[in-house]
Every structure is written in C-alpha cells, then in structure tokens.
C-alpha cells in the first residue's frame, strides 16, 4: 500500500474523539463528572456510576469459619468467668458472625449505648465493642446486688461514672477471654482504650470499610441484652487467611497438583 493510500485509509477509518457533556472534543465538563460519580441529580434517583459501586449495599460475604470457632470458645469461657464475677445464673450465646460495612454497623447501634474502642497491639489497629442499654443495666444491677428477675426501666439518661466503670470491668473480661480463645491461631493482646456514648467519637474506620461482626447475647436471670465485636478488614488482615480456614492447621492456597 502506497504512503498516500495509507494516509487516506487512516483518515477515513479512525473515529473522531468522543464529545462528552457538550464541551470540547475529549474533555469533561461538570455535568459529565457528576454523571460519572453518580451526583448532580435528585436524591430520590438511583445512584449510578462509581458512587453506586462504592455505596452498594451488596457485600461479598467471606465466611471466616475459624472466627466462629474462636467465638464459640469465648462463649464457654466467658460464661464461667461471669458466673464467678456476679454469682448469678449466666447464659451466653453466639447470635451471629457476619460481615457489614462500618457505617451500617454504627447506624444500627441503638442509643443510649456504650461503644468501647479496643486496640489490638500486634495488629496495630483497632476494634469496636458495642453494648446495648439493656445489657448495661443488667450488668450494673447484677454487680450491685439488685433484685433478681426484676424489670429494668430504661430511661435514656446518660450513664454515670460508676456504671461505666462496672461495664468496663465486664468488657475487660470479655476482651481477655477473646484473646485467650484466639491465641492458638494468633497470639494477640488487646487493650480497652476508651468508652464512648456517641458513635461519632468511635469512628475507627471509614463508613464504607467492611469488617467482621460477632454478636453475642447475655441473659442474667431474665435480664440482659446483646453486645457486638466489630473488627474492620484492615484489623484482621494479618490473620485473615488463618481465620478463613475450615479447620485448624489447614494449608492455605490451592493444591499444587491442580
């Protein structure tokens, strides 16, 4: 093919640069950028573009079987420890081990509640422990010798220093039992840094970050409630492969023969 023929061929076959948003060829205007990121429209419209991907409610749920085993071991040990602490009949059960976005998890916290910020020394990151108001009053009533089986009135007031100290004692016990339960997989030490009552002051991760959530139920002679432990993905990343194993000692990765 001659050089003139090739130039003529290229001239007639190459497409023109796309014009986006009505501006110059190959340029983006503000309307195009808003459309790409899903903004600039009414709030009632469905999210589109990158915003729809980032804020999607669909989460790729990754099962962590060994984390469920750790929680079951923690339940048995914590039941004995709390019976010795309160001298009451304690029934602790594991409700669920699931995955959630950090923002959605914090939005589901029913106030008033206590939100404990826990630092995991070996993983150099943080976790969250939330305690609902029903369990808080049950713990305080049990430790201060309240009447068994009595109904607890939840008035929505702020928690006193004594109530916070009593709940912190139980939280330290739960954290210690969790560290003991996970020790065969990854020896860690956790420290209770502070207890907040406002979710905004306990933001240890971005709202869109995904984490593992372990929810427990505690019954103390007919009184009680739930507490949850939330570890963002960045926190458990050092041991995620071990927690994803189906049994202790399973080799990570696929078989070499395949």
């Amino acid at each position: 093919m001659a050089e003139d023929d090739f130039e003529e061929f290229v001239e007639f076959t190459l497409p023109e640069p796309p014009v986006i948003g009505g501006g110059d060829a190959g340029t983006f205007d503000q309307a195009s950028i808003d459309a790409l990121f899903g903004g600039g429209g009414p709030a009632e419209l469905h999210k589109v573009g990158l915003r729809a991907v980032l804020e999607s409610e669909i989460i790729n749920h990754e099962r962590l079987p060994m984390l469920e085993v750790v929680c079951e071991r923690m339940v048995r040990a914590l039941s004995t420890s709390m019976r010795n602490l309160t001298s009451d009949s304690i029934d602790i059960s594991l409700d669920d081990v699931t995955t959630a976005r950090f923002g959605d998890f914090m939005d589901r916290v029913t106030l008033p509640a206590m939100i404990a910020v826990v630092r995991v020394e070996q993983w150099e990151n943080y976790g969250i422990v939330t305690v609902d108001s029903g369990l808080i009053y049950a713990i305080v009533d049990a430790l201060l010798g309240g009447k068994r089986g009595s109904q607890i009135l939840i008035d929505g007031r702020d928690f006193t220093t004594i109530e916070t100290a009593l709940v912190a004692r139980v939280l330290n016990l739960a954290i210690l039992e969790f560290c003991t339960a996970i020790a065969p997989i990854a020896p860690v030490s956790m420290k209770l840094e502070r207890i907040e009552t406002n979710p905004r002051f306990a933001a240890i991760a971005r709202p869109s970050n995904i984490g593992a959530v372990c929810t427990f139920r505690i019954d103390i002679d007919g009184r009680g409630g739930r507490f949850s432990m939330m570890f963002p993905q960045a926190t458990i990343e050092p041991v995620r492969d071990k927690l994803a194993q189906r049994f202790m000692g399973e080799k990570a990765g696929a078989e070499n023969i395949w």
Side-chain angles (χ1 to χ4, degrees), residues 160-195:
T160 64
T161 304
I162 295 178
E163 291 172 339
T164 304
L166 293 176
V167 174
R169 186 176 179 182
V170 175
L171 285 175
N172 282 318
L173 196 61
I175 293 171
L176 177 62
E177 297 299 348
F178 182 84
C179 293
T180 304
I182 203 175
I185 299 176
V188 296
S189 58
M190 299 185 182
K191 178 183 178 182
L192 178 61
E193 284 209 343
R194 65 184 187 275
I195 296 179

Side-chain angles (χ1 to χ4, degrees), residues 13-253:
T13 55
L14 291 180
E16 292 294 331
V19 179
I20 302 176
D24 297 335
T27 62
F28 285 90
D29 59 5
Q30 187 61 41
S32 301
I33 296 175
D34 291 339
L36 177 63
F37 284 91
E44 63 272 9
L45 294 179
H46 294 292
K47 296 186 179 73
V48 296
L50 297 181
R51 185 178 297 274
V53 177
L54 295 175
E55 300 183 4
S56 173
E57 297 181 357
I58 302 176
I59 300 176
N60 185 15
H61 177 66
E62 179 184 13
R63 287 202 59 192
L64 301 174
M66 289 309 301
L67 182 59
E68 298 178 9
V69 174
V70 168
C71 292
E72 292 289 352
R73 294 183 58 187
M74 173 186 170
V75 164
R76 293 192 295 268
L78 185 59
S79 299
T80 303
S81 300
M82 289 199 63
R83 289 191 192 102
N84 297 333
L85 178 65
T86 62
S87 300
D88 284 338
S89 176
I90 306 292
D91 184 19
I92 305 178
S93 60
L94 175 63
D95 274 6
D96 194 15
V97 177
T98 184
T99 304
R101 297 188 186 277
F102 183 79
D104 297 338
F105 172 76
M106 298 300 286
D107 291 340
R108 290 196 295 263
V109 177
T110 304
L111 300 178
M114 289 188 184
I115 306 172
V117 178
V118 180
R119 177 172 176 81
V120 187
E121 301 291 345
Q122 283 76 4
W123 301 341
E124 298 181 353
N125 220 313
Y126 294 89
I128 287 289
V129 182
T130 62
V131 187
D132 63 20
S133 56
L135 181 56
I136 292 172
Y137 292 127
I139 291 173
V140 173
D141 202 37
L143 293 179
L144 295 182
K147 185 178 180 181
R148 298 184 179 183
S150 61
Q151 290 286 46
I152 302 174
L153 179 61
I154 302 176
D155 52 7
R157 58 175 174 80
D158 293 336
F159 301 110
T160 64
T161 304
I162 295 178
E163 291 172 339
T164 304
L166 293 176
V167 174
R169 186 176 179 182
V170 175
L171 285 175
N172 282 318
L173 196 61
I175 293 171
L176 177 62
E177 297 299 348
F178 182 84
C179 293
T180 304
I182 203 175
I185 299 176
V188 296
S189 58
M190 299 185 182
K191 178 183 178 182
L192 178 61
E193 284 209 343
R194 65 184 187 275
I195 296 179
E196 304 286 354
T197 57
N198 191 332
R200 292 185 302 173
F201 300 145
I204 62 171
R206 295 181 181 273
S208 59
N209 288 4
I210 299 175
V213 181
C214 310
T215 304
F216 304 86
R217 169 81 188 183
I218 299 182
D219 290 318
I220 309 174
D221 282 333
R223 307 158 293 179
R226 290 180 173 84
F227 77 95
S228 300
M229 306 181 71
M230 201 280 185
F231 298 101
Q233 194 73 24
T235 302
I236 62 175
E237 184 63 28
V239 293
R240 185 179 60 85
D241 292 339
K242 295 182 179 180
L243 294 178
Q245 296 176 359
R246 290 170 294 179
F247 53 87
M248 186 72 69
E250 180 185 9
K251 291 179 61 178

